[in-house]
Amino acid sequence: MASTTSNSPTEQPNLSTLKGHIPLVGLTGGIGSGKTAVSDLLAKLGAGIIDTDLLAHQITAIGGAAIKPIQTEFGPEFIDPNGALDRAKMRSLVFAKPEARKVLEAITHPLIRQETVKQAIALAQSGAPYLVFVVPLLVESGNWFNTIDYLVVVDCPEETQIARVMQRSNLPRNEVLNILRAQAQRTERLSHANAVIQNQGSLAELAAEVLQLHQKILQINKGQLSSS
Ligand code: ATP
């Protein structure tokens, strides 16, 4: 593999340094479709997983890199007594004021990007056979299409998504529907997929599907990426 370290302090490493050296796989799907379930199974098979949702949580947890700038920009009332982001308060603010969401994202997105690159390089150097970027809004953002070599979409019927999220997050149906409606349509997401994982059966069935996916990704050769 080529050196992936940057040459000067101003030259930020980015994912293009990994392109062509290791398959870069995007993993997306609607809320509750099973992205985490799939990435956990792929991790057990040896894949290098970078979960951007997890990173977003880490940088806003106690001692996270986004805490200070959030406090400066939004005020100390947005940080809870433990020193983590007060998620409920921030959620209400960005729901009421879309411009506040932009300010928050201007803080968090560069930090998530930086950490994504750092983890990706470390996992590639540790010998992972391929990297999987778990990005809930990959299709919506569009930014990832040039970076990844292969896109996996986790899919299940909308009613299954709703039932899973209501149960997991203890949310009322209308709140889950609001989140679903803010995300890309299933058909739009599926139209970009190189591979689709149908997650409407048991976890054992999912594990079998994920094993097949893993074997398929292992066969992806540099410069010979295909969805067949
Ligand atoms: P989010 O977008 O909200 O982060 P996600 O796409 O990562 O969700 P998961 O967290 O993997 O989805 O799954 C949602 C819930 O459904 C979890 O509680 C998970 O354990 C459960 N789940 C996922 N797949 C299955 C399955 N095949 N059978 C039973 N439960 C499942």
Side-chain angles (χ1 to χ4, degrees):
M1 203 180 90
S3 165
T4 50
T5 52
S6 63
N7 298 324
S8 78
T10 52
E11 190 189 323
Q12 289 291 315
N14 64 51
L15 292 174
S16 63
T17 58
L18 294 173
K19 198 141 173 99
H21 297 288
I22 179 168
L24 305 177
V25 178
L27 176 66
T28 194
I31 182 165
S33 55
K35 297 176 294 295
T36 306
V38 170
S39 63
D40 285 352
L41 289 162
L42 287 172
K44 282 193 191 133
L45 294 166
I49 308 290
I50 301 102
D51 187 331
T52 59
D53 229 13
L54 203 61
L55 293 178
H57 269 83
Q58 283 168 355
I59 62 166
T60 51
I62 303 166
I67 293 298
K68 241 190 199 138
I70 288 173
Q71 183 164 351
T72 306
E73 196 63 50
F74 292 93
E77 65 275 23
F78 284 88
I79 308 302
D80 72 18
N82 297 323
L85 172 66
D86 186 329
R87 292 180 202 285
K89 203 172 264 179
M90 185 56 84
R91 209 176 299 123
S92 315
L93 178 73
V94 300
F95 188 72
K97 291 189 181 170
E99 62 278 16
R101 179 186 297 276
K102 290 217 168 78
V103 174
L104 178 66
E105 287 178 351
I107 295 170
T108 56
H109 283 186
L111 292 170
I112 296 170
R113 225 173 6 248
Q114 209 177 312
E115 199 51 36
T116 295
V117 173
K118 208 164 110 186
Q119 285 198 1
I121 290 172
L123 286 164
Q125 287 176 337
S126 75
Y130 60 89
L131 300 179
V132 178
F133 300 90
V134 187
V135 186
L137 300 181
L138 187 150
V139 167
E140 291 83 342
S141 89
N143 293 337
W144 280 87
F145 289 125
N146 288 333
T147 304
I148 56 170
D149 301 310
Y150 195 81
L151 179 61
V152 178
V153 172
V154 188
D155 186 53
C156 68
E158 222 169 79
E159 274 308 316
T160 309
Q161 279 178 274
I162 296 167
R164 281 186 190 147
V165 178
M166 283 175 69
Q167 191 182 20
R168 181 201 56 191
S169 305
N170 205 16
L171 284 176
R173 185 181 173 87
N174 66 330
E175 274 197 40
V176 182
L177 282 175
N178 283 342
I179 301 171
L180 260 176
R181 287 191 190 119
Q183 299 190 336
Q185 295 281 313
R186 253 176 103 190
T187 45
E188 160 73 359
R189 202 179 286 118
L190 289 168
S191 73
H192 295 280
N194 296 108
V196 178
I197 292 284
Q198 290 295 350
N199 181 24
Q200 56 212 49
S202 66
L203 286 171
E205 284 168 310
L206 180 66
E209 258 196 276
V210 169
L211 178 59
Q212 276 188 10
L213 173 72
H214 169 71
Q215 284 160 347
K216 197 160 152 182
I217 297 173
L218 287 180
Q219 283 164 13
I220 296 177
N221 292 319
K222 290 170 208 163
Q224 294 182 341
L225 301 160
S226 97
S227 56
S228 59

